[in-house]
Amino acid sequence: MTKTTISLIKADIGSSPGHVVVYEPLMEKAEELLEKAKENGLLIDFMVFNAGDDTNLLMTHEKGVNSEEIHKLAWDIFMDLGKDAREYGLYGAGQDLLTDTFSGNVKGMGPGVAEMEIEERPAEPIIVFAMDKTEPGAFNYPIFNIFANPFNTAGLVIDPKLHEGFKFNIMDIYHNKYLSLSCPEQMYDLLALVGAPGHYVIKSVFSKNEELGQAAVISTDKLSLIAGKYVGKDDPVAVVRSQSGFPAVGEVLEAFTLGHLVSGWMRGSHRGPLMPVSLEYSQNGRFDGPPRVVSLGFQLKNGKIVGPVDLFDDVSFDHVRRRANEIADYIRAHGPFEPSRLPLSEMEYTTLPEVLKKFENMFTDE
Ligand code: 13P
Ligand code: 13P
Ligand code: MG
Ligand code: MG
């Protein structure tokens, strides 16, 4: 059986105004360029969509993960869009393109990548997510809930195909090391680590049934560490498989009903509730947020994207959005105080060294 690869590659190429939303002509250009790649036979199918100011290229093909051809295609498109973004005068033009020359793989060059190669089941439901104004660890909470929490995913208890649980591959983003933990047996160990989403990030999830294989993948390209300094955040993307041995679509989406607190709002330096929105409302207004997540679901058939649906374009998420906005009011009322503002070590912007320097010799013992 042939294998299909789903590659979701994203970058912030520039937006208007400020960090609000991708400028539409950029997405049209990306579509034209991907259409050419499809005509040339490199891609089977594709979709372009945005999460706030991030441009997402969803591509299907048979080249496997880390394919130089596919990564180069995405890189060249981003470079091309970056040029346009500069001409249009967009904000943060080329923000996520950290180097000028492609070196075989976009990893470490700025864009975020979530990709997996799967053997398609006869009916293969896929859900992709893209978040803005946050960080890869923002996926820890929902991914844990989807694949390990029986209060979220009923199938873990009542579906024999899910009952064995899942394996989580986590990444220590400070040391670039990986660890695999198995749930439910090692659930408390897993939570001890991924409860610190600024340090340990869920990278991928696997079924314990080897025939089913990989269940999910999350982009973990931490820009701050790639560049050795903060250069803009690392708004993450993820690909999740669903149904028939994996959590149901509704179990996957259920994990986004809290409006859980994530890091990365305003200037990459604040916490806020993650609000699930339709593509139409994927723009950041209030205090450059609140942080948002969009989701597309579709059936994959021989690599074709069949019947894509904007999954958060749904009245059953209205109250989640309302609550997220109330949480946003509450946390914003703290102004420059933690925990609204991030701790000093995690802020993208800080005046602290200057403030300390100004008063360097003025601290007294009493
Ligand atoms: P500037 O300081 O470049 O205007 O950007 C503010 C901001 O929103 C950065 O993330
Ligand atoms: P992005 O990381 O989405 O470009 O946002 C920058 C920011 O900090 C806006 O306040
Ligand atoms: Mg931006
Ligand atoms: Mg962004």
Side-chain angles (χ1 to χ4, degrees):
M1 193 188 259
T2 58
K3 291 187 169 183
T4 305
T5 307
I6 306 146
S7 297
L8 179 53
I9 307 189
K10 55 75 56 176
D12 183 340
I13 300 301
S15 45
S16 169
H19 296 281
V20 170
V21 73
V22 177
Y23 186 47
E24 190 64 35
L26 289 192
M27 300 223 288
E28 285 163 14
K29 175 91 166 267
E31 263 166 29
E32 275 166 36
L33 296 170
L34 287 176
E35 184 59 47
K36 272 191 205 140
K38 186 174 164 180
E39 281 162 16
N40 295 341
L42 179 55
L43 297 182
I44 302 173
D45 212 347
F46 70 88
M47 275 186 77
V48 178
F49 63 100
N50 74 298
D53 61 359
D54 295 288
T55 301
N56 294 284
L57 311 180
L58 172 64
M59 300 170 283
T60 59
H61 54 91
E62 288 180 346
K63 305 284 178 188
V65 300
N66 290 320
S67 153
E68 184 164 344
E69 274 176 288
I70 299 296
H71 282 221
K72 186 166 182 344
L73 172 70
W75 180 256
D76 288 346
I77 291 175
F78 289 147
M79 288 299 272
D80 205 327
L81 299 185
K83 233 173 38 216
D84 288 4
R86 275 178 210 101
E87 275 166 29
Y88 290 129
L90 299 184
Y91 201 74
Q95 174 177 300
D96 284 355
L97 308 176
L98 303 183
T99 76
D100 294 333
T101 25
F102 181 73
S103 58
N105 190 308
V106 292
K107 277 185 192 156
M109 300 181 75
V113 184
E115 52 184 357
M116 67 174 145
E117 185 179 45
I118 60 169
E119 232 169 69
E120 278 183 27
R121 296 166 293 164
E124 183 66 59
I126 301 283
I127 304 176
V128 300
F129 293 98
M131 294 180 181
D132 189 31
K133 304 297 181 266
T134 184
E135 60 178 7
F139 273 110
N140 284 9
Y141 174 87
I143 293 289
F144 170 80
N145 277 292
I146 293 164
F147 293 102
N149 181 359
F151 282 77
N152 180 93
T153 298
L156 293 167
V157 179
I158 66 176
D159 180 348
K161 294 201 287 299
L162 271 75
H163 199 69
E164 289 299 305
F166 289 87
K167 283 184 295 189
F168 292 72
N169 194 20
I170 65 171
M171 179 188 186
D172 173 343
I173 56 179
Y174 282 88
H175 301 104
N176 244 322
K177 298 272 187 215
Y178 293 85
L179 176 70
S180 178
L181 292 172
S182 184
C183 279
E185 317 86 272
Q186 296 174 300
M187 183 192 287
Y188 299 160
D189 296 321
L190 178 69
L191 283 171
L193 298 172
V194 303
H199 198 135
Y200 298 98
V201 172
I202 300 173
K203 170 72 207 163
S204 50
V205 182
F206 291 82
S207 170
K208 288 186 192 167
N209 175 347
E210 281 181 12
E211 266 175 44
L212 287 172
Q214 190 161 357
V217 63
I218 297 99
S219 65
T220 53
D221 313 78
K222 182 99 177 157
L223 287 177
S224 57
L225 299 176
I226 290 166
K229 64 179 174 77
Y230 272 115
V231 286
K233 291 180 316 303
D234 36 353
D235 295 318
V237 291
V239 181
V240 175
R241 294 170 80 191
S242 179
Q243 309 285 158
S244 310
F246 297 113
V249 171
E251 289 169 334
V252 174
L253 298 181
E254 185 68 10
F256 292 86
T257 52
L258 177 62
H260 67 286
L261 290 172
V262 299
S263 297
W265 194 1
M266 180 51 88
R267 297 176 180 272
S269 305
H270 292 80
R271 290 198 176 91
L274 186 77
M275 183 161 75
V277 292
S278 66
L279 292 174
E280 190 188 347
Y281 292 107
S282 179
Q283 67 170 50
N284 304 282
R286 179 170 185 194
F287 202 56
D288 284 2
R292 275 155 220 241
V293 56
V294 297
S295 177
L296 281 169
F298 53 89
Q299 293 295 130
L300 191 68
K301 187 64 183 174
N302 300 326
K304 286 245 172 280
I305 295 169
V306 178
V309 172
D310 181 352
L311 288 167
F312 292 136
D313 183 11
D314 175 350
V315 291
S316 68
F317 285 92
D318 283 350
H319 72 294
V320 180
R321 292 186 267 269
R322 202 171 311 121
R323 185 168 57 185
N325 281 311
E326 280 162 14
I327 297 166
D329 279 343
Y330 171 75
I331 199 152
R332 278 303 308 129
H334 292 75
F337 286 81
E338 295 178 19
S340 169
R341 200 205 65 197
L342 286 173
L344 295 171
S345 60
E346 288 179 38
M347 283 197 297
E348 192 169 344
Y349 278 71
T350 179
T351 47
L352 187 72
E354 285 158 41
V355 172
L356 284 177
K357 195 159 192 314
K358 201 159 61 174
F359 300 109
E360 214 170 6
N361 300 314
M362 293 167 72
F363 281 92
T364 59
D365 288 334
E366 289 182 27

